[in-house]
Amino acid sequence: VCFTGCSQLTETPEQIAKKAAEEAVQEVFGKIIFGEADRTAITGNVTFVTENKNYPGVKIEWSSSEEDVIDATGKVTRPSYDDERAEVYKVNEDGTESRIVKVVITATVSATYSWGPEGNAKELTTEPISKQFNFSVLTMADGIDTGTIKDVKARAWNYIYVEQGVEK
């Protein structure tokens, strides 16, 4: 005897493909880890992986709350010491302060999956899931001039010849 609901006991190819993709997303999601030391008072670029060859079809997209400090590719641009977002990180032995700017990085993971005959396969994407990480970027030390060489030279010229009144 079979009732109307009996047809739902077997999974369709779409359901099987979707389930496998969702499991792969969960596995990749669980592997995204940054240790405390990797996220605190950083001064160099961060590696943001966008895919894993062991999980084809799974993609990781990155976003940043402060794109000018850490962008979506992991490039770090250290802010100036007097940046309005900077806060005291620690007081050094010489009494100077080290400062940081906090950045929230979001990893969003999803997977594309397909089913059906080759050449006529249907393709969908899983619902994305996200994880956030708190990073802090060490500012440049107080008094260090930043910018392109041309910018620094222009400011130095202005300081020496205009503000200080040095004769050429």
Side-chain angles (χ1 to χ4, degrees), residues 91 103 105 152:
V91 177
V103 180
I105 298 296
V152 174

Side-chain angles (χ1 to χ4, degrees), residues 6-150:
C6 289
S7 64
Q8 294 179 358
L9 294 178
T10 59
E11 292 181 314
T12 65
E14 176 185 0
Q15 291 169 326
I16 293 168
K18 182 178 181 181
K19 184 177 179 181
E22 288 172 340
E23 287 173 359
V25 165
Q26 287 295 332
E27 286 184 38
V28 170
F29 188 74
K31 294 177 188 297
I32 301 173
I33 300 170
F34 290 99
E36 184 70 25
D38 297 330
R39 297 181 289 117
T40 305
I42 62 173
T43 58
N45 295 338
V46 183
T47 302
F48 292 151
V49 176
T50 57
E51 59 188 342
N52 182 320
K53 68 179 181 174
N54 297 320
Y55 300 93
V58 177
K59 299 285 183 219
I60 307 168
E61 294 180 1
W62 300 90
S63 61
S64 171
S65 65
E66 306 294 338
E67 281 282 332
D68 61 320
V69 179
I70 303 177
D71 71 14
T73 66
K75 181 178 183 252
V76 172
T77 304
R78 290 176 64 190
S80 65
Y81 182 84
D82 57 354
D83 188 292
E84 63 186 22
R85 300 165 293 183
E87 56 188 66
V88 175
Y89 171 59
K90 68 177 183 177
V91 177
N92 302 314
E93 289 180 14
D94 63 0
T96 60
E97 295 177 342
S98 292
R99 298 173 59 129
I100 57 169
V101 170
K102 293 181 178 179
V103 180
V104 177
I105 298 296
T106 303
T108 302
V109 184
S110 63
T112 302
Y113 62 97
S114 59
W115 73 96
E118 193 172 324
N120 196 24
K122 297 183 173 123
E123 192 171 279
L124 288 174
T125 303
T126 62
E127 285 294 320
I129 55 176
S130 298
K131 183 187 279 191
Q132 292 187 328
F133 300 92
N134 295 315
F135 281 77
S136 63
V137 177
L138 195 62
T139 64
M140 298 296 285
D142 188 23
I144 292 181
D145 201 359
T146 61
T148 65
I149 292 174
K150 183 179 178 181

